[in-house]
Amino acid sequence: MIRVRTCNHTRPSSKPLRHLCSMLFCIQNKIHTSGGFMSAERLYAYVAHGPRDLSVWAMSGTGDFSKLQELPINDRDLAPGTPIGRFAALCVSPDRRFLFASDRAAPYGIRSWAIDREKGTLTYLGDSPAADSSPYIITDPPGNFLLAAHNPVDPDRRTGFVSVAAIREGFVQAPHQVIRTPPKTHAIQVDASGRFVLLPCCDADVVVRLRFDCRTGLLDSDTLSPLVTRPGAGPRHCVFHPGNRFAYVNNEYDGTIYAYSFDPRDGAMSEIQVVQTRPASAGPDENVRVGDLRISPNGKFLFTTVRSGSTVVGFAVDPRTGLLTSIGQTQVDGEARSLAFDPLGRFLVVNGRLTHTAHTYRLDGETGALDKVSAFRAPDHPGWIELVNLS
């Protein structure tokens, strides 16, 4: 990596030096954005497989993968009837030193690993108890707390939960706060300021909004009203725009995506748009089983998976208004489920759960078009994917 010091010379003779600095800055920027210089990058993928296993992969600058490691998320015999589709959720700490996974087989827990910054491989640290089965985990921006959305396995328990647990040098502690939420709480996101939390709840047609205190690690459930969707929509996942002025929620049942304005000063939100991802072949009342939702690192593109049609649906994001414009659908083999952008936004990786494969698509930075460049066979039922640059 080329490092350039800021040039503060003001004498006329310094003009060539300033020109050289400008050239070096452009070269440095090209290294990080063009994909033309890949030797300095160390890209790795962490993939969960069903409720039990985890694999580690090295990713090349052309989007190819080579397997490095396989590890258990839990070491127990699973109870008869444990659904293979109940995937563990993964989360990487903001400093990229640790990986966390939710163990969704009872007794529920969170497993922690240390990430080798040179090799990308994982070293087991320990397990901690969880409040219930967790389909989504995330840290606050500083990485001091792990927040989890919980969806109880028992269908007769018409409830959900959100929990907060402290992180101490990669070791997740037992939850110090658990708050009851509406049924089938399926995801959790924290805004860039670390002050506001969103919780989509599929079976209540609401997105719960909470304040969060990064100093104490406590949620306040009494100050913000929920966002209400149309009946039967089924809010599943959500993302904040990198600029922290907009948020997006996809709906599992009716296939819509809601766009919201967001004010990071007080958490105020307003619905600004509803778009559709439903396949043309789907009936008007069919559950289209929308899955993951991801936004590109630069905030220009939004993608979601539609499991019933095994498609990835993309939208361009207007940076001024936050409004979405369709850029089409891409067919994916074997039930598209989870998505992940590489940290520089050049590739989108999509798993095919039923064919046990993951597919790499090159992302056109201008149009958002996807061009399939690679595929790799993963262990059974690949689910959650995290891509990390350890350079």
Side-chain angles (χ1 to χ4, degrees), residues 91-98 100 138-147 165-170 190-196 212-217:
C91 173
V92 176
S93 63
D95 59 9
R96 297 168 292 169
R97 294 175 57 202
F98 307 105
F100 310 108
I138 195 168
T139 73
D140 67 327
N144 296 324
F145 299 99
L146 186 86
L147 296 92
I167 303 172
R168 300 287 182 263
E169 285 299 312
V190 185
D191 85 299
S193 74
R195 298 172 55 225
F196 302 100
F212 181 67
D213 190 326
C214 281
R215 298 167 301 170
T216 63

Side-chain angles (χ1 to χ4, degrees), residues 27-40:
I27 294 173
Q28 182 184 20
N29 188 57
K30 186 177 182 65
I31 289 175
H32 284 281
T33 59
S34 70
F37 301 88
M38 303 302 299
S39 60

Side-chain angles (χ1 to χ4, degrees), residues 192-329:
S193 74
R195 298 172 55 225
F196 302 100
V197 170
L198 298 183
L199 289 155
C201 304
C202 288
D203 288 353
D205 294 320
V206 299
V207 179
V208 173
R209 299 189 297 154
L210 306 174
R211 293 184 184 273
F212 181 67
D213 190 326
C214 281
R215 298 167 301 170
T216 63
L218 293 176
L219 294 162
D220 180 355
S221 60
D222 296 328
T223 54
L224 298 172
S225 60
L227 304 171
V228 180
T229 66
R230 297 169 183 169
R236 179 180 173 93
H237 282 186
C238 59
V239 292
F240 284 97
H241 189 275
N244 214 32
R245 293 177 50 237
F246 309 104
Y248 304 91
V249 177
N250 67 356
N251 292 287
E252 178 176 353
Y253 303 146
D254 74 358
T256 56
I257 295 178
Y258 283 47
Y260 297 93
S261 63
F262 173 71
D263 189 333
R265 295 171 298 180
D266 57 10
M269 300 182 69
S270 297
E271 179 186 310
I272 57 176
Q273 188 184 24
V274 179
V275 296
Q276 183 59 257
T277 68
R278 176 182 293 273
S281 59
D285 299 320
E286 181 181 342
N287 175 4
V288 298
R289 301 174 60 233
V290 166
D292 207 355
L293 180 70
R294 300 284 179 121
I295 194 164
S296 61
N298 61 9
K300 291 180 63 175
F301 304 105
L302 182 79
F303 288 90
T304 190
T305 56
V306 181
R307 289 172 288 167
S308 66
S310 198
T311 56
V312 176
V313 183
F315 297 88
V317 182
D318 187 306
R320 297 177 298 103
T321 66
L323 297 178
L324 303 175
T325 302
S326 174
I327 54 176
Q329 302 184 3

